[in-house]
Amino acid sequence: MGIQISPSILAADFANLERDIASVANADWLHVDVMDAHFVPNLTLGLPVLERIAQVSPMPVDAHLMIEDPDHWAPKYAEAGATSVTFHYEAAKDPVAIAKDLRALGARASVALKPGTDVDVVLDHLREFDMVLVMTVEPGFGGQSFMPEMLPKFTALRAAAEAAGHDLWLQSDGGVSRDTIEDIAAAGCDVFVAGSAVFGADDREAEISALRDLAARARPA
């Protein structure tokens, strides 16, 4: 699988979402952050808005659920049109059961790890997941600085996936920019969530292309 760029609409203009979504149409995914003000100290959007976004987005939608009780809610986001649903390991009662439910609905199943969560918690069940999201900032707010101490997580997960013969995608979310993307790619990541770096650019499509090229050159052969 090649490098994939997933702009986060957390950095978009919420009053003009359809316009801003169209402005990043050369991306591979559209990253939609769902926050409930309980699991994280921020509140964004929910099912009705995501459903409408999925209807107008030229890219498949990856719903990143920073919410409590993903065992109940995650399948509903797949039913609402998300092609990939990412839930947090820390909020889940049964991560493997959630992943099975998502796959049964035809969605990609992804589990996210906060900075303080060790990758060991998912290593025994890697085949149950299509992607692991390594948070490279504390979840909840955009515009934070990248945490380089998270890089070994990508290396460990990539090694474990290769040892298991599993085509696992690894996603980075937080502080992804031209200054950081090469180091993240070199560590084994292949899916990059970029919010401020993309939506803050004068030419958003050009920024997406530049990020993709930088990551592709840095990615291990």
Side-chain angles (χ1 to χ4, degrees):
M1 187 205 64
I3 296 297
Q4 300 186 67
I5 305 297
S6 183
S8 169
I9 64 166
L10 190 61
D13 180 353
F14 273 33
N16 294 282
L17 273 182
E18 186 172 5
R19 180 202 67 190
D20 277 11
I21 290 168
S23 74
V24 296
N26 65 323
D28 303 283
W29 292 87
L30 186 71
H31 191 84
V32 178
D33 289 307
V34 178
M35 307 184 197
D36 63 0
H38 295 284
F39 181 69
V40 292
N42 197 5
L43 181 67
T44 54
L45 51 83
L47 277 168
V49 178
L50 181 134
E51 184 174 21
R52 188 70 183 108
I53 288 171
Q55 291 168 354
V56 303
S57 175
M59 303 83 71
V61 168
D62 176 19
H64 178 192
L65 307 183
M66 288 171 272
I67 62 174
E68 293 182 348
D69 198 11
D71 303 72
H72 172 75
W73 289 107
K76 295 183 181 299
Y77 282 87
E79 293 170 346
T83 303
S84 175
V85 178
T86 302
F87 62 92
H88 270 265
Y89 176 88
E90 302 86 1
K93 297 180 182 70
D94 191 337
V96 171
I98 299 174
K100 290 182 183 296
D101 289 343
L102 291 171
R103 285 176 165 179
L105 290 166
R108 292 182 62 85
S110 172
V111 63
L113 305 177
K114 294 171 70 175
T117 302
D118 196 279
V119 298
D120 289 352
V121 298
V122 298
L123 293 185
D124 289 341
H125 306 288
L126 275 189
R127 286 188 170 275
E128 303 293 340
F129 306 112
D130 299 300
M131 181 169 72
V132 176
L133 165 55
V134 174
M135 291 298 302
T136 45
V137 298
E138 290 293 342
F141 296 92
Q144 299 183 64
S145 297
F146 174 74
M147 300 171 66
E149 60 269 31
M150 295 299 108
L151 290 175
K153 290 187 175 184
F154 295 104
T155 306
L157 286 164
R158 178 59 63 210
E162 290 178 355
H166 179 39
D167 182 20
L168 181 72
W169 295 5
L170 297 181
Q171 185 179 69
S172 174
D173 184 0
V176 174
S177 68
R178 294 194 193 201
D179 293 333
T180 61
I181 196 167
E182 291 176 288
D183 288 341
I184 309 170
C189 184
D190 41 28
V191 186
F192 301 86
V193 177
S196 303
V198 169
F199 284 103
D202 292 333
D203 186 333
R204 294 168 179 174
E205 291 198 346
E207 189 65 20
I208 289 166
S209 296
L211 290 170
R212 188 184 286 118
D213 290 345
L214 285 169
R217 288 199 293 267
R219 186 182 184 189

